Every structure is written in C-alpha cells, then in structure tokens.
C-alpha cells in the first residue's frame, strides 16, 4: 500500500479538494497517536477539523485556530521541523519516525524542504537591474576598480536579480558586462563573479563541460551535479548544454567515460527519476533485499541492479531503502559498495548514496575536502557556494559545524583571501 506524504511547500500545505479528512484518533492515524514533539504536531482529540477547500496556504504559515493549529516558530510557518542536527538515523530521518516508517503520511524525503527557505541569499527588496548596473559601471569606470561596491551589490542580490544585469548593462551602456568585468577583475574573484551572473542551468552546463574536456575528467563534479539536481533541472541543463556546445550531454559523457561508470552517469543524465513523494515500505524492503542479493550475498557484483535502483527510484524511497538495508545486514550501503566495487564506479556510487541520503551533509563534505590540505580546489568551492546559496546553505553550514567542529565561515576565512574571500563569505551568509 502506498501512503501519500506531506507535500513540502514554503508557506504551508497547498489546498486540497475537500481538505485534509478528519480521522478517528487524530491525523494521521498511528499506533498510540501522533507523538507530541518540540515544534511539531500536538495530539488532538478527533484529529484536525476538515475545511471546505482545504487549509489555505498563507505567508508565514497557518493562523492559530480554536482547537486547531497553535502558532509555531520556524521559517515558512507550520510545521516547524527540528533542526537538522536533531535528526536521527543518519539518513535524513527524524528520530521520531525511525520506528514508524510505514505510518501513513510519514515522508522523510520532505523534511528539510518543509522547514521553509534554507538559502543564505534572498531576493533584495526593490532591486532594479537598471539601477544596479549604474553601480557596476561606476565601480569599473576610471582609474582602478571599486571591488567592494561589486561585492556589496552582487552579494546582496539573488540569482534571478543578478542575471538581468547582463541585458540591463548592454541596454544602458551598449557594452558587454562580462567583457568589462573580465578586463577589470582577475583570478578566483573574477571566476566567482562570472559564475554568479550565470543562470543555474548555464552554470551547471558550463561546469559539466569543463569537467569533461581536456586530459583528465573531474568525475566527482559530474556525479555532484547529476545526483543533486531535480529532473526538471537536469533537462534544462541538457538543453543549455546542447545549445552552447552543439553536442548532447549524453554524447559528451559517452565519449569521455567508460564501463559501468559511464552507464551510471548516462542514467542520471536522463532526468527521469521517480519524483513521487510517497514511500511504500514493502517495496523499499524488496529493493534493499535486491541490493544485498546483487552485492554482499553474491560472488561478484551485479552492478546493473545497483544502477537501476539508485538511478530510477525516488529520493524519499531510497532513503527508506538505505535504512532497510542497514537494518537487514547491519552495514551501511556505502560500506557494501566500498567492499564490492572499485575505481570511478565505487566513488560514483558512494557519492550518489551520500547525496541522496543527506544532501547538506554531502555538500559539507565536498566543501571540507575542497579546502583541507595543501592547495584549495577553488572550482569546487566556487561552484558549491554559488549553486547552494539559494537552496540549502543554512543546512550545509549546520552539517559542516556538526561534522567538523568549526564553522564553514571560519574555514573559508582561513583558506581564502582578499575580495574572493569577501564575496564567498557573503554567499556563506554568516558563522555558526
């Protein structure tokens, strides 16, 4: 049996025909009732009252109602979700759900999203691209460049407010903003500024091309982008890639990789993953058993079975599969992959599992590895800071501090310098 999960939406649940149905014993029915929790659902006799047309979405969440929802703290309004560092199970599951994964309405996949906006960069109220490009023009005009003015402007605008500056600059001054910036800036600061002026799909397509071209392939970059983006995002990236390179992303991947690793990347690049939010625990158990039979419980490894399950199943479903696998054989799936596979396929499969299991923790580890040791992997640092600044940077910061015992802000400060550092710290948004 499939259970509908809670849809994650900033501002609360969308209206549903007939509203959420009343159920004896409260909503949703669970053995012993829905447990009360800090910032969570209070138990109520008779469940939540139905309302014609469903509960309306409202900015800031649901208003208090007699006998209904109390006002709650937390971004995005009701429901407030415990902070990421209080989630248990190591798979994005909250501790209160680990024993009740098959309960109706439970949806592990949506918990981070239900917490409201988790980015560090937000829309700037009243931003106007024509006024903004005046600031940029003034910063670059004459002798010397006012880098601080560029940092203050770009570091306080969302991507949807930055990208129109390209057209506005040409409209106002008849010049190409990118060319002007390239002539005025240099090094990693220039690379970071130019990355911030691309749309998400343009930046991803550029990064994928860069990861493929040349002598060596940056396999970790390919996996990072293809395993963390939605179907719609992957399809848009593929369209941009083909338009800009006169070659499909799939053909580029095929020409640069081989074997089972190539199959893994091509599967991910289809942008065809199941995106239903429902989790059928009986199917999750079957998939966990199939993975065990294809790896640990077999002489040799059936890589195709791993590929089929990891690339086609929904992310909430896979989190349940990972949990069931660990319960069944007492070992994390990543550990089994390490034992069964090697080379690019091993690192690729492990990265896919980590990214799906806990996306912010995966990116925190990528950032940590980009900065630790001699030399900084600036391409990785720039890409992640730009692409996650409006998605889950607050959660990445939380996971970083929890895992490495210091803030991401502190590590960026110690590992970078100058204007580059200043703009990265704007994207980081603060210290934890």
């Amino acid at each position: 049996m499939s259970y509908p999960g809670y849809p994650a939406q900033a501002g609360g649940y969308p209206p549903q025909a007939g509203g959420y149905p009343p159920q004896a014993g409260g909503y949703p029915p669970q053995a012993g009732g829905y447990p009360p929790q800090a910032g969570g659902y209070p138990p109520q006799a008779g469940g939540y009252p139905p309302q014609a047309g469903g509960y309306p979405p409202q900015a800031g969440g649901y208003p208090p109602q007699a006998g209904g929802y109390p006002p709650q703290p937390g971004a995005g309004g009701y429901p407030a979700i415990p902070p990421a560092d209080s989630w248990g199970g190591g798979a994005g599951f909250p501790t209160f759900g680990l024993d009740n994964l098959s309960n109706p309405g439970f949806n592990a996949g949506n918990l981070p999203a239900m917490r409201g906006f988790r980015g560090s960069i937000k829309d700037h109220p009243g931003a106007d691209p024509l006024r903004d490009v005046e600031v940029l023009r003034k910063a670059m005009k004459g002798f010397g460049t006012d880098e601080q003015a560029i940092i203050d402007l770009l570091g306080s605008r969302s991507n949807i407010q930055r990208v129109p500056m390209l057209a506005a600059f040409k409209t106002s001054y008849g010049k190409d903003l990118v060319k002007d910036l390239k002539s005025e800036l240099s090094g990693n600061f220039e690379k970071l500024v130019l990355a911030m002026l691309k749309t998400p799909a343009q930046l991803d397509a550029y990064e994928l091309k860069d990861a493929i071209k040349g002598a060596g392939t940056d396999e970790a970059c390919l996996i990072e982008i293809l395993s963390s983006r939605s179907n719609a995002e992957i399809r848009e990236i593929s369209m941009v890639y083909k338009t800009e390179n006169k070659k499909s992303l799939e053909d580029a991947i095929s020409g640069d990789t081989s074997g089972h690793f190539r199959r893994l990347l091509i599967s991910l690049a289809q942008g065809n993953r199941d995106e239903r939010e429902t989790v059928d625990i009986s199917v999750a158990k079957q998939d966990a058993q199939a993975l065990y039979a294809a790896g640990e419980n077999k002489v040799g490894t059936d890589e195709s079975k791993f590929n089929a399950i990891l690339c086609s199943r929904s992310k909430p479903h896979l989190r349940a599969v990972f949990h069931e696998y660990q319960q069944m054989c007492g070992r994390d799936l990543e550990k089994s992959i390490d034992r069964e596979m090697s080379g690019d396929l091993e690192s690729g499969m492990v990265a896919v599992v980590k990214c799906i299991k806990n996306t912010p923790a995966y990116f925190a580890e990528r950032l940590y590895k980009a900065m630790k040791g001699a030399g900084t992997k600036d391409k990785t640092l720039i890409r992640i800071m730009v692409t996650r600044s409006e998605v889950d940077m607050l959660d990445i910061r939380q996971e970083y501090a929890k895992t490495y015992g210091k803030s991401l802000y502190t590590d960026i400060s110690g590992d970078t310098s100058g204007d580059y550092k200043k703009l990265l710290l704007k994207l980081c948004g603060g210290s934890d």
Side-chain angles (χ1 to χ4, degrees):
M1 176 185 287
S2 249
Y3 299 120
Y6 303 125
Q9 304 220 359
Y13 300 119
Q16 301 198 12
Y20 294 107
Q23 303 198 24
Y27 183 85
Q30 300 200 23
Y34 209 95
Q37 16 172 332
Y41 300 98
Q44 304 212 9
Y48 298 118
Q51 300 200 13
Y55 297 112
Q58 302 201 17
Y62 297 118
Q65 302 188 26
Y69 301 111
Q72 303 266 337
Y78 197 90
I81 298 295
D85 58 6
S86 70
W87 301 347
F93 293 126
T95 42
F96 60 83
L98 279 170
D99 298 322
N100 291 305
L101 290 178
S102 57
N103 284 334
F106 176 76
N107 184 1
N110 266 336
L111 284 164
M114 286 170 72
R115 303 172 66 209
F117 182 76
R118 301 299 294 162
S120 52
I121 298 286
K122 300 179 182 178
D123 288 345
H124 186 78
D128 176 353
L130 289 171
R131 279 205 311 270
D132 287 345
V133 296
E134 282 182 39
V135 175
L136 292 175
R137 172 74 172 145
K138 189 178 172 187
M140 293 186 285
K141 197 176 177 184
F143 182 74
T145 306
D146 185 352
E147 287 89 354
Q148 191 60 50
I150 296 172
I151 292 164
D152 290 340
L153 179 72
L154 296 182
S156 61
R157 299 291 185 273
S158 64
N159 183 266
I160 209 165
Q161 294 174 327
R162 295 191 302 259
V163 172
M165 292 180 197
L166 299 172
F169 196 84
K170 196 164 278 188
T171 299
S172 293
Y173 307 111
K175 300 183 73 182
D176 187 308
L177 177 57
V178 169
K179 284 181 181 171
D180 273 21
L181 287 166
K182 281 183 173 179
S183 70
E184 297 289 329
L185 311 178
S186 62
N188 287 319
F189 180 53
E190 176 196 321
K191 290 173 186 169
L192 176 55
V193 166
L194 297 182
M196 290 175 71
L197 290 169
K198 287 177 162 63
T199 67
Q202 285 171 338
L203 180 56
D204 282 343
Y206 174 82
E207 291 289 310
L208 288 169
K209 185 190 178 190
D210 209 52
I212 291 168
K213 75 175 186 184
T217 304
D218 185 350
E219 293 87 0
C221 170
L222 299 178
I223 288 287
E224 174 200 304
I225 292 173
L226 295 175
S227 63
S228 62
R229 308 304 193 247
S230 69
N231 289 345
E233 287 167 339
I234 288 172
R235 287 169 192 161
E236 190 181 353
I237 292 162
S238 296
M239 281 196 307
V240 171
Y241 193 97
K242 187 156 193 178
T243 302
E244 294 189 353
N245 301 295
K246 309 295 181 261
K247 181 181 192 178
S248 75
L249 176 59
E250 186 176 322
D251 285 347
I253 290 169
S254 293
D256 204 63
T257 56
S258 61
H260 285 288
F261 182 62
R262 174 198 285 164
R263 294 183 201 175
L264 174 65
L265 290 172
I266 289 175
S267 292
L268 292 171
Q270 299 310 302
N272 204 27
R273 181 184 294 283
D274 180 358
E275 288 189 332
R276 285 174 295 181
E277 294 294 348
T278 55
V279 178
D280 184 332
I281 295 303
S282 63
V283 178
K285 288 179 190 286
Q286 288 168 16
D287 280 348
Q289 286 161 357
L291 289 172
Y292 182 66
E296 293 272 10
N297 204 29
K298 184 179 190 297
V299 177
T301 307
D302 181 358
E303 293 90 353
S304 295
K305 178 58 71 176
F306 279 80
N307 199 89
I309 291 174
L310 291 178
C311 296
S312 67
R313 303 292 198 263
S314 76
K315 291 180 180 182
H317 173 86
L318 285 170
R319 290 179 193 122
V321 172
F322 302 155
H323 176 72
E324 292 296 333
Y325 188 94
Q326 209 279 333
Q327 295 288 97
M328 188 178 70
C329 68
R331 184 179 290 123
D332 286 339
L333 184 59
E334 303 101 288
K335 298 277 195 327
S336 292
I337 291 170
D338 283 338
R339 288 157 58 105
E340 294 294 317
M341 301 176 195
S342 60
D344 290 339
L345 180 64
E346 176 198 345
S347 54
M349 289 271 188
V350 167
V352 170
V353 171
K354 282 182 176 179
C355 185
I356 291 170
K357 180 182 275 193
N358 185 335
T359 306
Y362 165 76
F363 279 110
E365 182 184 0
R366 294 276 291 148
L367 287 168
Y368 178 76
K369 287 183 174 176
M371 291 186 284
K372 79 167 192 175
T376 303
K377 296 188 180 74
D378 292 291
K379 274 189 65 62
T380 302
L381 185 55
I382 290 169
R383 181 179 61 252
I384 295 175
M385 294 306 292
V386 173
T387 59
R388 307 313 289 186
S389 61
E390 293 175 50
V391 182
D392 53 1
M393 186 57 69
L394 301 185
D395 294 324
I396 292 169
R397 278 166 37 184
Q398 216 169 40
E399 291 289 345
Y400 196 98
K402 184 177 79 172
T403 307
Y404 304 110
K406 49 191 169 174
S407 76
L408 175 59
Y409 193 94
T410 301
D411 273 3
I412 291 172
S413 297
D415 211 65
T416 59
S417 61
D419 298 318
Y420 175 49
K421 173 172 88 171
K422 289 177 189 174
L423 189 49
L424 281 174
L425 293 178
K426 284 267 194 186
L427 290 171
C428 184
S431 185
D432 298 283

